[in-house]
Amino acid sequence: MTANVQDFHPDLQRMARFLPRGVVGPRTLPLIRMVQKGMGRLQRDPEVEVRSLPSGGEARVFRPSGVTGDAPGLLWIHGGGYVIGEAQQDDDLCRRFSRDLGAVVVSVDYRLAPEHPFPAPLDDCYEALDVLHQLDGVADGQFAIGGASAGGGLAAQLALRIRDRGGATPVLQLLVYPMLDDRTVRTSVDEDDLRMWHAKSNRFGWDSYLGGADPEIVAPARRDDLSGLAPTWIGVGGLDLFHDEDLQYADRLRAAGVPCEVEVIPGAFHGFDLVNPAAPVSREFFRLQSAALRAALRGRR
């Protein structure tokens, strides 16, 4: 790697020395999945409520303690380039959201590509949203949707499906460095500054997810009409492969009349808050997300 470590945020410089530019590809996919499955078995929490989805996916439910009456809801979608990951990896994050917001959080364990390409993962998210709506103790119409990386891409796709099918509009779509555009092969970020996800991994993830589907229909960045979507918060690092496409999507949302707030974290790489959640910059990034959700959810009360 020829990157200058000084390019990275001071809280992330030490870790950036050792992280790869990309981790997922056709050769590494089986190994990564095997490791994640083993870690998942060791970390299972019997106190988490698990709901089966008609499609075959699952939903994990987190309820706030000490809340009387109906609470707001959040549907959360994990990342992993559409090909790896599981809802359980975000259990701690979902507990934090539930505690900080006083909200019921439903986390989607959607089926993964390439075995289950579009629309299977999106169908799972749509069914999990129905679970959230039907849960006891969730305030009617007072809900947000969100996700990170591929989960952010699925959240954006879900917002479009909700609009197209005339469903109840979320108070906010929280898109954390979302994966929005299958055409990403060039970016203003120097390739040597990328960590955890680069163009080659991105092409593999999108090809796996799309299968034979038309990207003009699937990829949010390709959709012509973005009007009528839920208000949006987008957060992305300045050294993330998705930096350019995320900011372009934000501009298009605003042009379509959709309120959109953007937070760019200088010197932050893809998934920085997950690989180093204790770093001050990561804690601040979570605070920004939580504040955006809290403001939106309170606005509907």
Side-chain angles (χ1 to χ4, degrees):
M1 294 182 185
T2 60
N4 182 355
V5 176
Q6 299 302 316
D7 293 343
F8 296 97
H9 190 283
D11 294 346
L12 305 172
Q13 288 176 0
R14 178 175 297 181
M15 180 167 287
R17 293 177 183 271
F18 306 104
L19 290 174
R21 290 196 290 267
V23 294
V24 179
R27 293 184 178 180
T28 61
L29 181 62
L31 177 60
I32 293 172
R33 284 184 173 179
M34 183 175 65
V35 171
Q36 287 188 330
K37 185 175 292 186
M39 293 177 62
R41 283 196 294 264
L42 292 174
Q43 298 171 356
R44 293 202 181 280
D45 186 346
E47 295 185 3
V48 176
E49 180 183 349
V50 179
R51 300 285 187 100
S52 295
L53 302 175
S55 62
E58 290 184 340
R60 300 171 69 80
V61 181
F62 303 82
R63 296 182 182 271
S65 60
V67 174
T68 58
D70 289 346
L74 169 65
L75 181 76
W76 180 256
I77 310 171
H78 73 80
Y82 300 116
V83 295
I84 61 171
E86 56 184 5
Q88 186 178 335
Q89 74 191 33
D90 287 344
D91 277 5
D92 287 344
L93 177 64
C94 290
R95 289 190 188 94
R96 291 172 69 191
F97 276 134
S98 182
R99 181 181 64 248
D100 285 13
L101 301 171
V104 176
V105 179
V106 171
S107 179
V108 192
D109 211 5
Y110 56 89
R111 292 166 292 169
L112 299 173
E115 295 86 353
H116 303 284
F118 175 88
L122 182 58
D123 289 343
D124 293 343
C125 295
Y126 195 72
E127 290 180 0
L129 181 60
D130 192 50
V131 169
L132 177 65
H133 288 324
Q134 295 181 17
L135 284 175
D136 292 336
V138 177
D140 186 34
Q142 191 180 338
F143 73 99
I145 61 176
S149 192
L154 282 166
Q157 293 168 53
L158 182 60
L160 284 158
R161 177 179 282 194
I162 291 169
R163 182 204 63 182
D164 293 345
R165 296 188 178 182
T169 303
V171 298
L172 187 73
Q173 51 173 329
L174 187 88
L175 309 183
V176 181
Y177 34 79
M179 185 174 175
L180 301 170
D181 195 339
D182 67 295
R183 298 165 296 187
T184 299
V185 292
R186 300 176 67 90
T187 174
S188 63
V189 181
D190 192 295
E191 184 178 356
D192 286 334
D193 283 338
L194 297 174
R195 295 292 185 273
M196 303 303 292
W197 197 255
H198 55 17
K200 189 174 181 179
S201 292
N202 203 49
R203 285 193 293 270
F204 173 69
W206 271 110
D207 288 346
S208 299
Y209 179 56
L210 287 171
D214 182 357
E216 297 285 346
I217 297 173
V218 180
R222 287 183 180 256
R223 295 289 293 269
D224 291 332
D225 182 11
L226 300 182
S227 63
L229 292 175
T232 307
W233 183 95
I234 295 177
V236 65
L239 298 181
D240 193 314
L241 177 70
F242 298 148
H243 173 272
D244 291 10
E245 69 186 57
D246 289 355
L247 268 58
Q248 290 167 9
Y249 194 69
D251 288 342
R252 292 189 57 223
L253 285 170
R254 293 180 184 128
V258 178
C260 183
E261 178 183 356
V262 176
E263 293 284 353
V264 177
I265 309 302
F269 49 80
H270 189 71
F272 69 96
D273 55 323
L274 299 181
V275 297
N276 194 359
V281 65
S282 300
R283 295 199 299 269
E284 173 62 10
F285 193 49
F286 173 80
R287 188 196 67 77
L288 292 169
Q289 296 171 51
S290 188
L293 285 166
R294 187 179 302 107
L297 291 167
R298 287 179 176 174
R300 280 286 181 92
R301 291 185 179 180

